[in-house]
Amino acid sequence: MLGDSGARNVLSGSVPDCHSQRGGSLHRPTRLQIPGYNHALVFIAERMSLAVGVCLCALLAAAPMRAYHRYAMALVALLFFGFLYRDERALNAFETA
């Protein structure tokens, strides 16, 4: 997927940022109990996986793409939204009945 020069361009800037986000999400607590509150803050580290995913998408977006990669992405998106439309249509039919 990556050529010689493409790999250097992609990996030069974004990888350290992704590693710092990933490492930071592993070291964050999963539960935080604040004194005076009856409910704890939970899922802190799990929500940081979104930031890691955004960094990974930014890393992959900088990579040069060939034409068949674009066609494959368009096909996957078409399939995804087609299945999403079918499921929503079935759910709406169930709710109106």
Side-chain angles (χ1 to χ4, degrees):
M1 183 170 120
L2 297 174
D4 293 334
S5 64
R8 277 192 298 266
N9 290 338
V10 170
L11 299 178
S12 64
S14 299
V15 171
D17 297 334
C18 288
H19 285 303
S20 65
Q21 284 289 334
R22 183 179 52 89
S25 67
L26 292 175
H27 297 298
R28 285 187 176 79
T30 57
R31 179 183 173 94
L32 183 64
Q33 183 68 41
I34 300 174
Y37 289 100
N38 293 333
H39 188 17
L41 299 174
V42 292
F43 304 121
I44 298 168
E46 287 84 359
R47 290 184 182 165
M48 285 308 296
S49 64
L50 175 64
V52 174
V54 168
C55 286
L56 182 64
C57 286
L59 175 73
L60 293 176
M65 278 198 306
R66 295 188 176 146
Y68 67 89
H69 291 146
R70 290 184 186 153
Y71 293 132
M73 284 193 323
L75 179 65
V76 168
L78 186 66
L79 282 171
F80 173 76
F81 287 111
F83 285 132
L84 183 66
Y85 176 77
R86 186 192 66 174
D87 291 344
E88 286 295 320
R89 190 170 139 197
L91 185 60
N92 286 337
F94 176 74
E95 287 177 350
T96 57

